[in-house]
Amino acid sequence: MNIVKFEELENRLIQKNNELVLLDKDVADLYGVEPKKLRQQLKRNIEKFPKDYAYRLSEKDLDDLVSQNVTPSKKVFGGSLPYVFTEKGLYMAATILKSEKAT
């Protein structure tokens, strides 16, 4: 069993709308899947993800992340706007992903 310690995620957490969220690329890394696969599963199961579970960042949100040095550039996201996941969203993502880490 692989246990992820909070300290390993702490520097990836982002404060957004008075809550801590993780970028989709970090959630994918956490669960051992490709970010593209995570986004595909999210879109296929979007009804399981209300806005307080996961949502897509706006262009302005992304600009803010770059200006605050949270992420080096927009290019990291391959031209698409990333999703962010709240704590509830992390649990739900684990239920839709088929990876050993997610299980």
Side-chain angles (χ1 to χ4, degrees), residues 17-46:
N17 301 331
N18 295 325
E19 65 183 334
L20 295 174
V21 296
L22 277 175
L23 290 167
D24 55 9
K25 68 182 185 66
D26 294 324
V27 174
D29 184 50
L30 174 68
Y31 290 136
V33 297
E34 293 293 321
K36 182 178 179 178
K37 181 178 178 182
L38 171 64
R39 288 189 295 271
Q40 285 174 341
Q41 289 302 318
L42 173 65
K43 289 174 186 176
R44 289 179 183 155
N45 295 278
I46 198 69

Side-chain angles (χ1 to χ4, degrees), residues 44-81:
R44 289 179 183 155
N45 295 278
I46 198 69
E47 72 283 352
K48 295 180 181 178
F49 290 89
K51 290 284 185 201
D52 59 335
Y53 282 38
Y55 54 92
R56 197 166 219 165
L57 292 180
S58 69
E59 192 71 40
K60 182 186 179 320
D61 293 332
L62 192 53
D63 288 340
D64 290 344
L65 291 179
V66 172
S67 70
Q68 296 169 12
N69 294 319
V70 172
T71 187
S73 74
K74 291 181 183 182
K75 293 179 184 178
V76 171
F77 302 104
S80 65
L81 295 172

